[in-house]
Amino acid sequence: MSKLSDCIINKKISSKPIWFMRQAGRYLPEFRKIRKENKDFIKLCLNPDLVKEITLQPISRFKLDAAIIFSDILIIPYGLKQKVEFKKGFGPTLGEIEFEKIGNFNKQDFINRVSPVYKGIEKTKKKLKKTNLIGFAGAPWTLLVYMINKESPKKSFNIRNFFNDEERLLMLMLKIEEFIYLHLKKQIEAGADTIQIFDSWAGLLPENKIKKFCIDPTQRLVEKLKKLGQPIICFPRGINKKYEEFCKIVKPDCISIDYDIEPSWILEKASGIPIQGGLDPKILLGPIEDLKKNITKYISTFSNYPYIFNLGHGVLPETKPETIDFIVKFIREKND
Ligand code: 1CP
C-alpha cells in the first residue's frame, strides 16, 4: 500500500508522507516553459498529454508520495459554459452565467466539455507506481464565490451585499454541488485514488455563516463521495476555531490545515482524523534555520499521529525548487 493511503486509511504514524499543494506550477522552470508556449490556460488544462507531463514534473524532480492532477478548480464553471480566462498578473476572470440554467444543465454536456481532464488522469495513472494520484475540485462555497464575483476575491469582494438573497445562494450551491460530485466521481473512475476538496475562500465567511455555507454543503458532498471508496481530504482554509466543528460534522478522511491553525490545538480537536499540511508557504522564502525550525515543529507535534507533510496553502511562484528538494530530504532523514 502507498504511504499516503497507509497514513489516511490505516492511520499509520511511523512515516510521514509528503506532497505539496501547487507542487506543479509556476515555481518550476519546466512548467513555465510549457506555459509560455500555451497562452490559453484552460486549453492547457484540457490537453491530456500536457496534463500528464506537468503532473509528473514534480514527481521526477522530488521524492514525493503523491501527484496531484494538473487542472484547476475553475474547470467546473468552464464545464457549465461560463467563460474562464486567466490574464497575466491578474488571475482569473469569469464571464456572465445564467444561474437559473445550471439546474437544467445537461450532465453529459458537462462531461463532454471537461472529459480531457479524465483522459489526463488515465494517462498519468499509467506512469505512476507507488505514488498516489490526487484528483480535486473546489468546494461549493469557493466555486460560488468565483462564479458570482467573476474575479478573485483578492481583487475585490463585497461580502455585505453577497448575502442579500441567501435562499437563492443556497439553492445555487446545491446545483453546483451536483456537478462537483459528478466531476469527482469521473476523476475516481479515471484513476484518481485520493480526492482533495479545496474551500480556499471559506475564510471570507462571517463566523455565523460557516456552518450553512461551508460545513453543511461539504458534509453532504463528502457523505456521497465516501461511498465511492476513495479517501477524501478537505481543506476549509481560514475557518480558524471552526475546524473543530468541521471535523466533527463533515468527518473527512483527512483534514488539511492552513497556517493560522496551531498544530498542538488541532491535534486535540481533530477527533482522530489524520491531519495534513500547515507550514506557511512564506517560510520557504526565508532563512533555512527558520525553515528547519518550523518543519520540526509540525513533524514533532504530530510524531504520534497520522500526519501528511504539506504546506498551509500552495507553493508560492517565488519558491526555489531546491527548497522543495531540501524539505523532502530533511523530513526523510528524520523519519525514514
Ligand atoms: O501560469 C499561470 O498563470 C497559471 C497558474 C495556475 C496553476 C499552475 C493556476 C491559475 N492554476 C494552476 C493549477 C492548479 N490550481 C492546481 C494543480 C497544480 C498543483 O497543485 O500542483 C490546483 C490543485 C489548483 C487549484 C486552485 N485553483 C485553487 C485551490 C487551491 C488554492 O490555491 O487555494 C484555486 C483557488 C484556484 C484558482 C486559481 N487558478 C489559478 C490561479 C492563479 C488561481 C487563484 C486565483 C486567486 O488568487 O483567486
Side-chain angles (χ1 to χ4, degrees):
M1 188 180 257
S2 71
K3 258 171 96 165
L4 195 82
S5 308
D6 226 6
C7 177
I8 301 180
I9 299 168
N10 298 334
K11 305 204 176 180
K12 191 172 168 191
I13 60 171
S14 58
S15 70
K16 309 297 188 202
I18 308 171
W19 71 279
F20 293 79
M21 287 192 254
R22 299 292 189 109
Q23 65 191 22
R26 289 174 292 180
Y27 75 104
L28 288 178
E30 57 271 36
F31 170 77
R32 289 200 299 271
K33 182 169 176 291
I34 294 183
R35 180 73 172 103
K36 221 171 155 183
E37 293 156 3
N38 294 272
K39 298 272 187 263
D40 184 332
F41 183 73
I42 291 288
K43 255 196 190 154
L44 179 58
C45 291
L46 297 174
N47 179 326
D49 286 308
L50 290 177
V51 163
K52 179 192 76 182
E53 190 176 334
I54 298 171
T55 304
L56 296 174
Q57 282 175 349
I59 306 303
S60 2
R61 260 194 193 249
F62 317 113
K63 215 173 151 241
L64 299 167
D65 298 298
I68 179 159
I69 197 69
F70 177 77
S71 187
D72 200 85
I73 63 164
L74 299 177
I75 279 292
I76 289 187
Y78 168 84
L80 293 168
K81 289 210 171 145
Q82 185 170 22
K83 195 166 171 192
V84 181
E85 278 180 308
F86 288 86
K87 291 183 191 145
K88 208 169 180 207
F90 191 79
T93 316
L94 287 79
E96 295 298 322
I97 183 164
E98 277 184 62
F99 276 101
E100 278 54 39
K101 287 198 177 149
I102 296 182
N104 301 322
F105 200 93
N106 186 283
K107 298 262 159 70
Q108 195 55 49
D109 283 352
F110 173 85
I111 292 172
N112 291 345
R113 279 175 74 76
V114 303
S115 62
V117 173
Y118 316 133
K119 191 88 209 147
I121 292 176
E122 278 172 26
K123 283 183 179 251
T124 309
K125 182 75 179 171
K126 285 192 186 128
K127 297 280 171 191
L128 293 170
K129 289 183 191 89
K130 286 193 89 180
T131 313
N132 280 67
L133 181 56
I134 301 174
F136 70 90
W141 164 251
T142 287
L143 285 186
L144 186 75
V145 166
Y146 280 109
M147 290 171 80
I148 291 184
N149 202 49
K150 301 195 186 69
E151 62 182 25
S152 172
K154 251 188 231 157
K155 301 283 169 194
S156 71
F157 185 70
N158 186 340
I159 189 88
R160 234 190 262 152
N161 295 340
F162 202 83
F163 294 101
N164 283 352
D165 189 348
E166 202 171 296
E167 284 313 307
R168 180 169 172 266
L169 292 183
L170 291 170
M171 221 178 61
L172 288 173
M173 279 209 308
L174 274 175
K175 305 284 182 204
I176 296 171
E177 240 172 86
E178 284 182 33
F179 288 92
I180 299 173
Y181 173 75
L182 179 65
H183 189 47
L184 291 173
K185 181 167 171 270
K186 296 294 287 182
Q187 291 184 54
I188 291 173
E189 284 167 8
D193 44 38
T194 307
I195 291 298
Q196 176 145 332
I197 299 173
F198 288 95
D199 213 346
S200 304
W201 294 106
L204 291 175
L205 285 161
E207 205 179 315
N208 64 358
K209 298 214 186 285
I210 291 177
K211 171 111 180 6
K212 241 185 194 174
F213 286 86
C214 163
I215 296 180
D216 290 346
T218 311
Q219 184 274 327
R220 288 194 296 264
L221 198 54
V222 168
E223 189 177 306
K224 275 179 79 182
L225 286 165
K226 273 187 173 177
K227 297 191 179 120
L228 303 175
Q230 302 297 356
I232 318 291
I233 307 171
C234 285
F235 181 45
R237 183 170 78 99
I239 63 168
N240 290 301
K241 296 280 178 270
K242 291 280 182 183
Y243 258 93
E244 181 178 8
E245 192 181 339
F246 187 97
C247 289
K248 289 210 161 69
I249 297 179
V250 178
K251 300 190 189 72
D253 297 293
C254 176
I255 183 82
S256 199
I257 56 171
D258 62 63
Y259 46 84
D260 288 331
I261 299 296
E262 192 51 50
S264 55
W265 178 83
I266 193 76
L267 184 65
E268 298 299 320
K269 306 293 184 187
S271 316
I273 294 170
I275 295 169
Q276 164 179 283
L279 182 70
D280 188 341
K282 286 192 286 301
I283 306 272
L284 278 63
L285 309 178
I288 196 89
E289 284 313 314
D290 247 21
L291 179 60
K292 283 189 191 170
K293 202 176 82 199
N294 277 280
I295 298 171
T296 307
K297 177 172 158 186
Y298 285 94
I299 296 294
S300 55
T301 305
F302 298 120
S303 61
N304 291 315
Y305 197 88
Y307 177 68
I308 300 166
F309 182 85
N310 202 324
L311 306 181
H313 201 193
V315 178
L316 295 165
E318 303 83 9
T319 310
K320 290 197 189 84
E322 298 76 44
T323 308
I324 301 292
D325 196 41
F326 170 80
I327 296 174
V328 175
K329 288 178 178 151
F330 183 71
I331 298 172
R332 300 257 184 247
E333 247 170 55
K334 282 173 174 278
N335 271 281
D336 283 355

PDB file of all heavy atoms in Angstrom, residues 197-209:
ATOM      1  N   ILE A 197     -10.733  18.372  -1.576  1.00  0.00           N
ATOM      2  CA  ILE A 197     -11.731  19.425  -1.823  1.00  0.00           C
ATOM      3  C   ILE A 197     -11.182  20.731  -1.263  1.00  0.00           C
ATOM      4  O   ILE A 197     -10.923  20.845  -0.055  1.00  0.00           O
ATOM      5  CB  ILE A 197     -13.085  19.067  -1.163  1.00  0.00           C
ATOM      6  CG1 ILE A 197     -13.625  17.757  -1.752  1.00  0.00           C
ATOM      7  CG2 ILE A 197     -14.099  20.198  -1.360  1.00  0.00           C
ATOM      8  CD1 ILE A 197     -14.875  17.226  -1.066  1.00  0.00           C
ATOM      9  N   PHE A 198     -10.983  21.700  -2.158  1.00  0.00           N
ATOM     10  CA  PHE A 198     -10.393  22.986  -1.769  1.00  0.00           C
ATOM     11  C   PHE A 198     -11.493  24.002  -1.473  1.00  0.00           C
ATOM     12  O   PHE A 198     -12.182  24.456  -2.385  1.00  0.00           O
ATOM     13  CB  PHE A 198      -9.555  23.551  -2.919  1.00  0.00           C
ATOM     14  CG  PHE A 198      -8.258  22.831  -3.169  1.00  0.00           C
ATOM     15  CD1 PHE A 198      -8.172  21.823  -4.125  1.00  0.00           C
ATOM     16  CD2 PHE A 198      -7.108  23.173  -2.467  1.00  0.00           C
ATOM     17  CE1 PHE A 198      -6.970  21.167  -4.379  1.00  0.00           C
ATOM     18  CE2 PHE A 198      -5.899  22.522  -2.713  1.00  0.00           C
ATOM     19  CZ  PHE A 198      -5.828  21.524  -3.672  1.00  0.00           C
ATOM     20  N   ASP A 199     -11.637  24.382  -0.187  1.00  0.00           N
ATOM     21  CA  ASP A 199     -12.522  25.514   0.117  1.00  0.00           C
ATOM     22  C   ASP A 199     -11.618  26.705   0.444  1.00  0.00           C
ATOM     23  O   ASP A 199     -11.559  27.190   1.585  1.00  0.00           O
ATOM     24  CB  ASP A 199     -13.490  25.186   1.265  1.00  0.00           C
ATOM     25  CG  ASP A 199     -14.826  25.887   1.071  1.00  0.00           C
ATOM     26  OD1 ASP A 199     -14.892  26.802   0.221  1.00  0.00           O
ATOM     27  OD2 ASP A 199     -15.800  25.535   1.761  1.00  0.00           O
ATOM     28  N   SER A 200     -10.927  27.172  -0.578  1.00  0.00           N
ATOM     29  CA  SER A 200      -9.871  28.167  -0.398  1.00  0.00           C
ATOM     30  C   SER A 200     -10.381  29.490   0.156  1.00  0.00           C
ATOM     31  O   SER A 200      -9.634  30.232   0.765  1.00  0.00           O
ATOM     32  CB  SER A 200      -9.188  28.426  -1.736  1.00  0.00           C
ATOM     33  OG  SER A 200      -8.702  27.224  -2.258  1.00  0.00           O
ATOM     34  N   TRP A 201     -11.667  29.785  -0.081  1.00  0.00           N
ATOM     35  CA  TRP A 201     -12.212  31.072   0.381  1.00  0.00           C
ATOM     36  C   TRP A 201     -13.211  30.924   1.524  1.00  0.00           C
ATOM     37  O   TRP A 201     -14.015  31.827   1.771  1.00  0.00           O
ATOM     38  CB  TRP A 201     -12.814  31.834  -0.808  1.00  0.00           C
ATOM     39  CG  TRP A 201     -11.746  32.228  -1.779  1.00  0.00           C
ATOM     40  CD1 TRP A 201     -11.487  31.678  -2.995  1.00  0.00           C
ATOM     41  CD2 TRP A 201     -10.731  33.237  -1.587  1.00  0.00           C
ATOM     42  NE1 TRP A 201     -10.394  32.270  -3.580  1.00  0.00           N
ATOM     43  CE2 TRP A 201      -9.918  33.224  -2.738  1.00  0.00           C
ATOM     44  CE3 TRP A 201     -10.444  34.144  -0.545  1.00  0.00           C
ATOM     45  CZ2 TRP A 201      -8.818  34.080  -2.892  1.00  0.00           C
ATOM     46  CZ3 TRP A 201      -9.357  34.988  -0.697  1.00  0.00           C
ATOM     47  CH2 TRP A 201      -8.562  34.957  -1.859  1.00  0.00           C
ATOM     48  N   ALA A 202     -13.156  29.794   2.237  1.00  0.00           N
ATOM     49  CA  ALA A 202     -14.044  29.612   3.395  1.00  0.00           C
ATOM     50  C   ALA A 202     -13.811  30.717   4.418  1.00  0.00           C
ATOM     51  O   ALA A 202     -14.731  31.136   5.133  1.00  0.00           O
ATOM     52  CB  ALA A 202     -13.814  28.239   4.024  1.00  0.00           C
ATOM     53  N   GLY A 203     -12.603  31.232   4.479  1.00  0.00           N
ATOM     54  CA  GLY A 203     -12.249  32.286   5.431  1.00  0.00           C
ATOM     55  C   GLY A 203     -12.946  33.620   5.171  1.00  0.00           C
ATOM     56  O   GLY A 203     -12.897  34.512   6.018  1.00  0.00           O
ATOM     57  N   LEU A 204     -13.607  33.765   4.024  1.00  0.00           N
ATOM     58  CA  LEU A 204     -14.353  35.003   3.774  1.00  0.00           C
ATOM     59  C   LEU A 204     -15.670  35.016   4.540  1.00  0.00           C
ATOM     60  O   LEU A 204     -16.279  36.064   4.736  1.00  0.00           O
ATOM     61  CB  LEU A 204     -14.704  35.128   2.279  1.00  0.00           C
ATOM     62  CG  LEU A 204     -13.607  35.372   1.261  1.00  0.00           C
ATOM     63  CD1 LEU A 204     -14.214  35.329  -0.140  1.00  0.00           C
ATOM     64  CD2 LEU A 204     -12.953  36.731   1.491  1.00  0.00           C
ATOM     65  N   LEU A 205     -16.118  33.830   4.933  1.00  0.00           N
ATOM     66  CA  LEU A 205     -17.442  33.737   5.556  1.00  0.00           C
ATOM     67  C   LEU A 205     -17.459  34.316   6.963  1.00  0.00           C
ATOM     68  O   LEU A 205     -16.561  34.029   7.762  1.00  0.00           O
ATOM     69  CB  LEU A 205     -17.874  32.267   5.632  1.00  0.00           C
ATOM     70  CG  LEU A 205     -18.318  31.627   4.319  1.00  0.00           C
ATOM     71  CD1 LEU A 205     -18.282  30.101   4.413  1.00  0.00           C
ATOM     72  CD2 LEU A 205     -19.723  32.096   3.945  1.00  0.00           C
ATOM     73  N   PRO A 206     -18.488  35.112   7.284  1.00  0.00           N
ATOM     74  CA  PRO A 206     -18.645  35.531   8.672  1.00  0.00           C
ATOM     75  C   PRO A 206     -18.868  34.270   9.520  1.00  0.00           C
ATOM     76  O   PRO A 206     -19.423  33.284   9.011  1.00  0.00           O
ATOM     77  CB  PRO A 206     -19.924  36.381   8.658  1.00  0.00           C
ATOM     78  CG  PRO A 206     -20.288  36.586   7.238  1.00  0.00           C
ATOM     79  CD  PRO A 206     -19.552  35.595   6.403  1.00  0.00           C
ATOM     80  N   GLU A 207     -18.431  34.311  10.775  1.00  0.00           N
ATOM     81  CA  GLU A 207     -18.462  33.096  11.592  1.00  0.00           C
ATOM     82  C   GLU A 207     -19.842  32.433  11.623  1.00  0.00           C
ATOM     83  O   GLU A 207     -19.955  31.210  11.552  1.00  0.00           O
ATOM     84  CB  GLU A 207     -17.995  33.424  13.015  1.00  0.00           C
ATOM     85  CG  GLU A 207     -17.430  32.204  13.693  1.00  0.00           C
ATOM     86  CD  GLU A 207     -16.939  32.493  15.092  1.00  0.00           C
ATOM     87  OE1 GLU A 207     -16.245  33.517  15.278  1.00  0.00           O
ATOM     88  OE2 GLU A 207     -17.277  31.687  15.983  1.00  0.00           O
ATOM     89  N   ASN A 208     -20.902  33.267  11.674  1.00  0.00           N
ATOM     90  CA  ASN A 208     -22.247  32.680  11.798  1.00  0.00           C
ATOM     91  C   ASN A 208     -22.775  32.098  10.479  1.00  0.00           C
ATOM     92  O   ASN A 208     -23.885  31.606  10.429  1.00  0.00           O
ATOM     93  CB  ASN A 208     -23.230  33.699  12.378  1.00  0.00           C
ATOM     94  CG  ASN A 208     -23.416  34.903  11.454  1.00  0.00           C
ATOM     95  OD1 ASN A 208     -22.787  34.992  10.397  1.00  0.00           O
ATOM     96  ND2 ASN A 208     -24.283  35.821  11.841  1.00  0.00           N
ATOM     97  N   LYS A 209     -21.988  32.177   9.428  1.00  0.00           N
ATOM     98  CA  LYS A 209     -22.445  31.576   8.159  1.00  0.00           C
ATOM     99  C   LYS A 209     -21.585  30.369   7.747  1.00  0.00           C
ATOM    100  O   LYS A 209     -21.859  29.711   6.741  1.00  0.00           O
ATOM    101  CB  LYS A 209     -22.435  32.617   7.050  1.00  0.00           C
ATOM    102  CG  LYS A 209     -23.378  33.784   7.327  1.00  0.00           C
ATOM    103  CD  LYS A 209     -24.000  34.317   6.065  1.00  0.00           C
ATOM    104  CE  LYS A 209     -24.829  35.569   6.310  1.00  0.00           C
ATOM    105  NZ  LYS A 209     -26.117  35.291   6.945  1.00  0.00           N
TER     106      LYS A 209
END
